[in-house]
Amino acid sequence: MRELTVSYDTPLGAVRAADRISFGLRAGERLGFAGESGSGKSTVALAILRMIQPPGRIEGGEVRLDGVDLLSLADEDMRRVRLARIALIPQGSMNALNPVLRIGDQIIDALRDHEIRTSARERDARVRELLESVGLRSEVAEMFPHELSGGMKQRACIAIAISLRPRVIIADEPTSALDVVVQKQVMETLARVQKDLGASVILVGHDMGLMAQFVDRLGIMYAGRLIEASPVRAILTRSLHPYTRMLIASLPSLEQKGTFNGIPGLIPLLRDLPPGCAFHPRCPDAVDRCRTERPGLREVRPDSWAACHLV
Amino acid sequence: MGYLRRNLSLVVGIALLSALGLFVIIGHLVVDTSKSRPLSAPAVQAPSLAHPFGTDRQGRDLFATMVAGTPLTLRIGFIAGMLGVGIGAILGFASAYYRGRLDAVVRGVVDIGLTVPGLLVLILIAVSLRRGLTVNQMAIIVASLAWLNPARTIRAQVLSLRERGYVEVARLSGMSGSEIIVKELMPNLLPYLAATLVNSVSSAILASIGLEVLGLGPIDSPTLGMTLYWVNFNAALINGWWWWWTAPITIILVVFLGLFFLTVGLDEIANPRLRRVI
Amino acid sequence: MRADYLLKRLGVFVLIVWLAATLNFFLTRLSGQDPVRATLLQQAQLGGYVQSGLEAMVKEYERRFGLDRPLWVQYVTYLSDVSRFNFNYSISNYPRTVNEIIAEAIPWTIGLLGTTTVLSFTIGTLLGALLAWPGAPRWMRVLMPPLWALHAIPFFLLGLILMYVFAFRIQLLPMFGGYSPGAFPALTLTFVGDVIAHAILPALSIVLVATGGWALGMRGMMVTTQGEDYVLFAEAKGLRRSTIFLWYCVRNAILPQTTALALALGNILSGAVLVEVIFGYPGVGTILFHAIRENDHFLVQGIVFTIIVALGVTTLILDVVYPLLDPRISYRRT
Amino acid sequence: MTTLLEARHATRIFDGGYFDRTSTLALDDFSLAIDGDRPSIIAVVGESGSGKTTLARLLLGLTSPTQGQILYKGQELQTMSRAVWRAFRRDVQVIFQDPYGVYNPFYRIDHVLTTPIAKFGLAASRAEARASIDGVLRAVGLRPEETLGRFAHQLSGGQRQRIMVARALLLRPRVILADEPVSMVDASLRATILASLRTMNRDLGISIVYITHDLATAYQISDTIVVLYRGSVVEIGDVELVVKRPQHPYTQLLLSSIPLASPERTWMTEKPSTPVAATETIDHGCKFAGRCPSVAASCRESAPSLFQTDRDRAVACYLYRDAPTVTGDHRQPGRSR
């Protein structure tokens, strides 16, 4: 992805939800996108699938999958890419399954619309195999979404997402609103199916603990901008950007009862972002340069990028 | 009020109804409404300068009849509509907020009441009260059923609002049940209540005209419905006395179109999501 | 769960039938004096019947219905009569019984009402669905405002206008009645053609008005459905637009539309009664109109009871069909 | 000395109404005493459906128990006089979870602050009212001139939640029930809200019942912890003991399921996917038996009572059946501090 920019037209003028985002996803890699609400992390995920709904629109940039720029594809071709090559796992809190269709039918209609011509018997076998691969009994195919628990619904969504063996799986807060025990089961399922497929995963979320335990590399978003991208271990131990450092410090740990150190100030409104670095009003080490000139993303250490003048 | 420009339906609704109001006011100044009684003009005259809307077979001047009849019909509609929404709102708010037995009773009566066509029950009542109805009696009869629909819709709205956090915060801030209904729930429902009121006025007028066309209305009053009854009674259509029914029909059209656009306009205020697609 | 849901709906139906009978019984006695005697005496002055014969008739009625006995006894006998669908003789066209007259009129009303409701519901729902779908053809947008405005006016009003324009002015279609006077009702092609010709205007005045309403309702529901999470996920699944439109949007938006149909039946019928009166269409509405004019209490009660029960049956059918559309239903009606 | 607020064998069953015979047992024989003189922070931890929100609504008097009692200064909520009820309403206040739903869109946010003042007559004059509002807003780190006079949609989730904390402060309550106060707030602001809860407890002597599904924040802020599972207490005690050396299998499962923001990768285990067993409904015996790794025969027969395994901890599990059982309505286990 290079210089991807997404803006929303609001009555108060255009708002940049994602501002010149660039990053590379390696095959089989687990890439995390962390950020607080309004940081633009979900916008990036939806932009990759070209599913930005009006009044939002993709202003510029490129999204290349195996060399093909998705943004320039015709609608029909993009439709075929969805699920077949790039699949989405919806948020845990959403009711992403059609309440009046059986789970099995919601897998089959995806196969059918991607021109998978198989006999009924083969199709049902495929459905059973998919459900069992995500830890669901085959009877679930006959059940309706309201008969399933939160965790089972997410597993069904994972089954749908992997039904066409995609190259990339985008999981947008897949376990939000799920209990911590169920969350662990769902994430373990996701890890296993990813290994079986050899696909790469983009995990979008705000739970730094989940990111720390699941992803290989992590990008931190703030006010629509990518401000740091490094291997997750580097982020946890010696993060570059002050915001990342303070975010990690504010996380409650189970080891020792530390003092509470939140990040002062308020999350900036995308409509009136401060000039220069968007974090400077809340940044303890901000200097004049931060207030005027917006820092670009630089490779400060091998494979560790940060957008900060002081680093 | 820049807002009005964007909410076209509201503007059209208000325009139609104020045109009607103007017609009635000017009419009262121009014509002697007593001429709406039978034998006050030569029968069956086509519209002329003397009788701008023509006259009917019983010798009523139709212009006078329209000027006198329109406010009567509107009055029935408003009384019945107000009563209907008044009772409906009280029951709707109380049953949805306090729940319990009252809610079960209200819901049962409303669910069953709505499956019974209102007009038939009104016919039963009107048939048995044979000795001539006054306009006010008519309004009360219509009102006796007009509260069902408002009760149902308001109850549904209050049920959804009742679970909101701010209702519980209000309760924990020491507000009593009735205070919460008036201060917390009602303000959010004002546009919706207004739309329900206009809607129930419109269906009340429809019910009263229906009864009158069937001959169950106040026989000697010049309301729009009774005029249509005499149109039908004297087969004005076949005899070619076109002016006799075009006047009431046009006025009724203006009344219903005005009220309809008003309801749509108010609905838009109540939930702006719909406006995006029009 | 399903058994007690059906039980509950049956219970409601029985309640409606009981309500219909009770309304009939008490509302007609609102005016205090007993309806039969009042009507018969009134007939006497009007028609110049032989006075003595009339007295005998009144006595016979009073004995037969036990009008002299206490009210609640009358009420019980009335209920037993009603439960056997026995509505006695029609006063105004004695010796024919109320049941005979209603039986003659019912097919006409069912024909008119059934076709117009099904037509307006399907066309309206389809139109409403397509209107809310960006992929819909342009000309549909043009069709909406007129239908929308038509929805505001009552059926009989449009009926009068259509009658004047098509029957009186252009004499394209018959103006009055269910079939041409003198035509003998038989299953011949000409007669059926004649009946259809007569039914066009009344049917049109209902369909043109009702369709706008269904379209408006469906469009509102489609707007909400398109915003749902499962439509977003369907798009992410790379489904075709047509699949999403049909199986995800329409399939979910049709549920409240069916409930709205059940609730609207009462109003549709009230409107249809007036249309029949205007067109003199030989359905239950016109019979009711004449019964009112001639103060025929038994006929009025019979018709009102039959209509309410018929509506009760239709609502029951819709309530039984509803769970087939919505698997979540363990009966949660708002 | 009677306790300030107490739940004694409180049970709440939600039946589905006339036709729906399935009834759910939301809270089962729950006892907890909040002692006014030694204000502490009690965390109630459990997954969704564990009954923690039901407990909050019972203690707030928003719903009444099916069995057992809720007592305020020894008097039962249902039978209290109006005067005592007003005192109860002032003494026991709430902070709700959803910062978006607690503001009536029709009014500016000031309405949430002025209403309690008016209703409880907390200020003699407008000036005094304004002063106390400014005071509590500053106490939660908000500048009054930046906050008052605005509508809720103009403020961030964090600001709105801090206003709710300020509202609770206004009434000078003795107990605050915080039902998941930070779960819908961003991480960076979460710490500031938890900090203000703790200062309220330390400096103003307000007892706090902190209800959450997030064990990490519970550990950071509370003194005592109650772990709930499907309506029953499985473990209760001093938070250091329970978190560092959990004894009940469910507490252990909860703690092991939390992904920690630490470089060591201990969380993910490559277990083969065993089809998720639908949690069978157990009408008698331990509710956790269906999922418990060390389940035994006795667990399925009857529900274990609370066994006092430490001075400051009790566990409802047969693994510790030889420890003395906690009898009667157990007081809050003695706090070490």
Side-chain angles (χ1 to χ4, degrees), chain D residues 90-112:
Chain D
R90 261 197 76 175
D91 272 352
V92 178
Q93 266 306 324
V94 73
I95 298 170
F96 281 113
Q97 168 178 11
D98 171 10
Y100 300 96
V102 285
Y103 292 94
N104 189 331
F106 187 77
Y107 298 103
R108 298 175 193 282
I109 54 105
D110 315 20
H111 174 72
V112 145

Side-chain angles (χ1 to χ4, degrees), chain A residues 28-82:
Chain A
E29 181 188 34
R30 291 187 195 152
L31 177 67
F33 259 91
E36 297 181 290
S37 47
S39 62
K41 52 187 189 306
S42 289
T43 312
V44 169
L46 288 177
I48 296 174
L49 281 159
R50 265 180 53 194
M51 280 178 51
I52 298 291
Q53 308 291 339
R57 52 184 165 69
I58 298 180
E59 245 177 68
E62 278 173 10
V63 178
R64 284 193 180 285
L65 176 68
D66 291 340
V68 172
D69 178 12
L70 301 181
L71 300 188
S72 56
L73 284 178
D75 284 351
E76 185 52 22
D77 300 333
M78 186 61 205
R79 181 186 75 77
R80 282 205 180 72
V81 161
R82 293 194 191 109

Side-chain angles (χ1 to χ4, degrees), chain B residues 81-82 84-94 149-158 161 181-201 262-263 266-271:
Chain B
M82 292 284 187
V85 170
I87 303 165
I90 293 166
L91 285 176
F93 271 106
N149 208 26
R152 185 179 66 83
T153 47
I154 291 170
R155 177 178 170 278
Q157 283 290 332
V158 173
L161 285 183
I181 290 179
V182 172
K183 281 218 190 103
E184 299 286 334
L185 295 177
M186 223 168 245
N188 290 310
L189 283 175
L190 282 182
Y192 187 82
L193 285 174
T196 316
L197 172 66
V198 171
N199 207 326
S200 91
V201 163
L262 211 55
T263 319
L266 289 169
D267 264 348
E268 262 174 51
I269 299 174
N271 73 62

Side-chain angles (χ1 to χ4, degrees), chain C residues 204-256:
Chain C
L204 216 54
S205 54
I206 295 179
V207 169
L208 285 181
V209 174
T211 308
W214 297 119
L216 206 58
M218 187 61 176
R219 184 174 60 76
M221 271 328 298
M222 284 294 281
V223 165
T224 358
T225 317
Q226 277 165 358
E228 293 285 353
D229 301 327
Y230 49 81
V231 170
L232 190 70
F233 185 51
E235 215 182 308
K237 278 162 63 171
L239 297 182
R240 286 199 191 83
R241 295 185 76 77
S242 50
T243 319
I244 297 179
F245 172 67
L246 213 57
W247 289 100
Y248 285 74
C249 291
V250 171
R251 182 62 181 74
N252 276 286
I254 204 79
L255 303 177

